[in-house]
Amino acid sequence: MITIALSKGRIFEETLPLLKAAGIEVLEDPDTSRKLILTTNQSDVRVLVVRATDVPTYVQYGGADMGITGKDTLLEHGSQGLYQPLDLQIAKCRISVAVRSDFDYQSAVKKGSRLTVATKYVAIARDFFASKGVHVDLIKLYGSMELAPLVGMADAIVDLVSTGNTLKANHLVEVEHIMDISSRLVVNQAALKLKQAPMRHIIDAFESAISK
Ligand code: PRP
């Protein structure tokens, strides 16, 4: 049995064509089913539906043999024990610093002000501001980061930006592009040794699908 951990939403949708290239079709829709283990057309392949931030944990501890997760999640989680053979080039976005459109970020940084930054990406934010020599107080949030500057709780946020629509709708502007993000295949190294042939087949099929 090969177990693949995926999160619902964009990663799931964009993974379906890659699975198809490996001959795997998921038989249930995670948006309508409450099941957390989804069957596929291959009796020896199943899909686990997990929270995006939990994908590396499932793969690291062998709950899943492989998984697909964003570079953002991997950087926050750390990638100990995870083999990362492929950048799948899916669910592309960027991680940026954004502020209220009336906040003068550049002069605050120039003056050496201490900034309060709200984010789900504490490790990425800490490394980024440390590399710029900007002093920050970080506030950990789990979602809807855009609210924090609007209610005066933070000067800035560090968050994923895709179309930019969420920032725009909340009168925030992007002031720093920290890095580009895409999803990676992560593999449990012990599982790969034990199930070499079927796992290699999936990895190779993904690789040829993304290079097309
Ligand atoms: C992400 C991110 C932004 C939004 C950006 O949230 O946190 O809120 O998408 O996308 P846009 O630039 O296209 O508007 P997501 O919907 O993934 O939910 P989350 O808050 O649970 O991360």
Side-chain angles (χ1 to χ4, degrees), residues 10 51 72 93-94 120-121 142-146 157-168 170:
R10 206 173 150 196
R51 286 286 294 262
D72 51 322
C93 56
R94 55 193 184 273
K120 173 155 80 172
Y121 303 103
Y142 293 87
S144 303
M145 267 79 81
E146 294 84 2
I157 61 170
V158 167
D159 195 10
L160 296 180
V161 182
S162 176
T163 59
N165 289 341
T166 308
L167 292 182
K168 213 173 188 181
N170 292 293

Side-chain angles (χ1 to χ4, degrees), residues 46-121:
R46 61 183 184 170
V47 169
L48 304 187
V49 180
V50 306
R51 286 286 294 262
T53 43
D54 291 334
V55 168
T57 309
Y58 273 87
V59 177
Q60 186 180 353
Y61 289 99
D65 300 309
M66 53 173 77
I68 295 176
T69 183
K71 181 180 171 187
D72 51 322
T73 304
L74 277 174
L75 287 172
E76 285 297 312
H77 176 270
S79 45
Q80 313 87 313
L82 296 173
Y83 169 50
Q84 291 182 53
L86 293 175
D87 177 349
L88 298 170
Q89 304 286 335
I90 60 168
K92 286 188 183 177
C93 56
R94 55 193 184 273
I95 191 157
S96 297
V97 181
V99 298
R100 273 167 63 143
S101 47
D102 57 2
F103 181 77
D104 190 347
Y105 172 81
Q106 301 304 345
S107 34
V109 166
K110 214 181 273 170
K111 275 194 296 195
S113 310
R114 200 173 176 94
L115 298 180
T116 303
V117 178
T119 187
K120 173 155 80 172
Y121 303 103

Side-chain angles (χ1 to χ4, degrees), residues 150-197:
L150 303 183
V151 297
M153 204 165 89
D155 301 309
I157 61 170
V158 167
D159 195 10
L160 296 180
V161 182
S162 176
T163 59
N165 289 341
T166 308
L167 292 182
K168 213 173 188 181
N170 292 293
H171 312 289
L172 301 179
V173 291
E174 221 172 332
V175 287
E176 303 262 19
H177 172 166
I178 300 181
M179 67 179 81
D180 288 324
I181 298 292
S182 56
S183 291
R184 315 285 156 131
L185 178 66
V186 290
V187 173
N188 179 289
Q189 291 174 344
L192 184 59
K193 279 195 194 128
L194 289 170
K195 308 176 193 178
Q196 185 70 249

